[in-house]
């Protein structure tokens, strides 16, 4: 706290935009200066301040243009080097924030502020802000861990922190997921690096599962053969491992059959929905009834 106050005092001294204000005030009080001299000095100060403001404005405009140019060049360089998109998004985000901070310091310096004192003040505030935003520092470290260990990359379909979606970008603090219904979810990198992540894209195939219930008294073998015929007729279903249809459970109102087959990640959702519809239509055509909750009452 003492260091912060000292830095603030140094910065306050450097922020005296009117160098001779104290002297002018003293001279006016003692009658040692005429008003026309005061007006002249104020005009000179105004011109000097206007010059600093103009220079700062020029520095900001040029700096803003240079930042956009550097970001573009860095993006092109990373693309030509065929760097992973995950690394590209992280580096571009980090460089952009760093350049913006440097631009702010340059503009402050162009205004005539002592940048050394300003840097000391900024460092002091940085320590205080860093303590307050320790979670973001954890997220930054988590982003670095993700880039090195690579549990996922841009374009992967992952499930983490109760959210599932396609990785759109890995920024310095957050990972952006695009859900199946078009929502953008920002998940902190700290949670992503320390929590459980299910990456469905790392393996080329994925197992599709269904649980279909039929009424008691129906021919289970007949139902099994209908399902196997449907799966074998679908070219998207893998032969190895072979599809499986088993009687998995005898519920209170239904005989449950578990169906499993393997497909590529790209075909998973289409096969999942289309096969369920095919089974429903095939069972109806074969006269196999689907159960519904029912209660049997025996009257004495």
């Amino acid at each position: 706290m003492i260091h912060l106050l000292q830095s603030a005092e140094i910065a306050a001294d450097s922020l005296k935009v009117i160098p001779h204000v104290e002297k002018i005030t003293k001279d006016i009080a003692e009658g040692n200066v005429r008003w026309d001299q005061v007006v002249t000095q104020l005009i000179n100060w105004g011109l000097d301040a206007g010059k600093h403001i103009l220079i700062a404005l020029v520095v900001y405009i040029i700096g803003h243009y240079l930042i956009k140019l550097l970001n573009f060049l860095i993006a092109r360089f990373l693309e030509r080097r065929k760097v992973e998109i995950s690394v590209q998004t992280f580096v571009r985000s980090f460089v952009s924030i760093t350049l913006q901070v440097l631009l702010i310091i340059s503009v402050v310096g162009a205004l005539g502020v002592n940048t050394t004192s300003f840097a000391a003040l900024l460092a002091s505030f940085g320590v205080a802000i860093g303590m307050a935003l320790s979670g973001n520092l954890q997220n930054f470290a988590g982003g670095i861990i993700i880039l090195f260990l690579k549990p996922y990359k841009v374009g992967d379909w992952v499930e983490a922190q109760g959210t599932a979606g396609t990785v759109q970008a890995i920024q310095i603090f957050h990972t952006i997921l695009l859900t199946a219904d078009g929502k953008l979810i920002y998940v902190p990198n700290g949670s992503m690096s320390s929590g459980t992540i299910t990456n469905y894209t790392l393996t080329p195939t994925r197992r599709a599962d269904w649980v279909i219930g039929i009424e008691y008294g129906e021919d289970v073998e007949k139902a099994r053969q209908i399902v196997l015929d449907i799966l074998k007729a679908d070219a998207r279903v893998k032969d190895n491992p072979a599809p499986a249809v088993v009687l998995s459970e005898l519920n209170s109102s239904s005989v449950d059959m578990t169906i499993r087959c393997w497909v590529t990640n790209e075909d998973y959702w289409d096969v999942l929905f289309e096969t369920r519809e095919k089974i429903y239509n095939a069972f109806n055509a074969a006269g196999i009834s689907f159960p519904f909750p029912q209660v049997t009452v025996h009257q004495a």
Side-chain angles (χ1 to χ4, degrees), residues 169-190:
I170 303 175
Q171 298 183 343
I172 62 174
F173 296 130
H174 296 87
T175 293
I176 303 176
L177 301 180
L178 177 64
T179 62
D181 56 351
K183 297 177 183 177
L184 283 178
I185 308 295
Y186 287 74
V187 185
N189 287 334

Side-chain angles (χ1 to χ4, degrees), residues 77-116:
F77 174 78
L78 295 175
E79 290 176 0
R80 290 180 178 178
R81 292 286 182 176
K82 296 182 178 180
V83 179
E84 286 188 9
I85 299 180
S86 308
V87 180
Q88 290 186 33
T89 56
F90 185 89
V91 171
R92 290 169 60 182
S93 177
F94 178 77
V95 171
S96 178
I97 293 176
T98 302
L99 292 177
Q100 292 289 348
V101 172
L102 292 177
L103 176 61
I104 292 174
I105 295 176
S106 300
V107 170
V108 171
L111 287 173
V113 179
N114 188 335
T115 55
T116 303

